[in-house]
């Protein structure tokens, strides 16, 4: 039986989760499962969960736990024979417990980035709303200013990426993430990384995963007790 490996990555807005996730997926052959991608996909497909998601997104509200788990868990069940990395789920303790009932994670990565670094990154961040592609004017600018590289459509800057809203977002993230971090810490699978530059954090994450993925016992995605 092939060795399966399932991990999740956590971090505040602007922490570089997306960049690091893509490096992990490329380097270790994991499926990169972004909750944001699944949210947009469900809205476009007008699924039952997607209709619910859209009703919250249109009002700029956080998608509730029961809707997120309804969206994510069936997709993960479909991928029970795959190794993967989750980005954006679970965000809350309720979501973490629901995931735990489906499948035991092997590793959780938590990114700790200083506020000033996050502020600088987010002030330069522009997004293509249709796909979720993210650009940074400092180190990952679009080929044509203000335009998405793939579609040529306009990029936007979220109001909540602006300095006035950022502190509130970070405070909310810390409040919600702490119980999740504590849960995974108690399970012995949490690994935290601190720094201001993704390229300096990456070698440590790469080394950890190289070690972990060569020592994992064979496994299947079976329900676990919370």
């Amino acid at each position: 039986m092939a060795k399966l490996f399932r991990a999740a990555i956590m971090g505040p807005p602007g922490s570089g989760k997306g960049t690091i996730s893509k490096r992990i997926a490329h380097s270790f052959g994991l499926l990169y499962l972004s909750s944001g991608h699944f949210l947009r996909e469900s809205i476009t497909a007008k699924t039952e969960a997607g209709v619910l998601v859209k009703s919250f997104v249109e009002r700029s509200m956080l998608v509730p736990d029961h809707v997120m788990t309804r969206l994510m868990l069936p997709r993960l069940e479909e991928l029970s024979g795959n190794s993967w990395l989750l980005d954006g789920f679970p965000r809350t303790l309720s979501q973490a417990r629901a995931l735990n009932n489906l499948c035991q994670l092997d590793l959780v990565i938590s990114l700790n980035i200083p506020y000033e670094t996050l502020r600088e990154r987010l002030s330069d961040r522009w997004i293509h709303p249709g796909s979720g592609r993210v650009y940074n004017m400092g180190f990952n600018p679009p080929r044509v200013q203000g335009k998405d590289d793939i579609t040529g459509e306009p990029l936007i800057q979220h109001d909540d990426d602006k300095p006035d809203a950022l502190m509130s977002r970070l405070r909310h993230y810390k409040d919600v993430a702490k119980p999740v971090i504590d849960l995974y810490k108690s399970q012995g699978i949490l690994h935290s990384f601190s720094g201001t530059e993704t390229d300096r954090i990456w070698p440590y994450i790469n080394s950890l995963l190289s070690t972990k993925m060569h020592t994992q016992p064979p496994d299947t995605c079976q329900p676990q007790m919370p």
Side-chain angles (χ1 to χ4, degrees), residues 115 119 122-123 157 159-168:
Y115 169 77
R119 187 190 66 76
L122 291 177
S123 67
Q157 187 170 43
D159 287 340
D160 55 8
D161 280 347
K162 296 173 182 176
D164 289 347
L166 179 57
M167 183 61 79
S168 175

Side-chain angles (χ1 to χ4, degrees), residues 101-154:
N101 286 334
L102 172 70
C103 185
Q104 178 65 49
L105 294 176
D106 298 300
L107 175 72
V108 176
I109 294 168
S110 177
L111 302 176
N112 300 316
I113 312 297
Y115 169 77
E116 188 61 26
T117 301
L118 298 175
R119 187 190 66 76
E120 289 176 1
R121 287 180 181 177
L122 291 177
S123 67
D124 285 340
R125 184 163 85 161
W126 291 78
I127 295 171
H128 177 241
S131 67
R133 280 185 287 275
V134 176
Y135 298 88
N136 186 285
M137 296 307 169
F139 59 83
N140 179 38
R143 288 194 289 266
V144 177
Q145 186 167 350
K147 302 290 186 182
D148 177 52
D149 286 351
I150 307 299
T151 65
E153 294 170 345

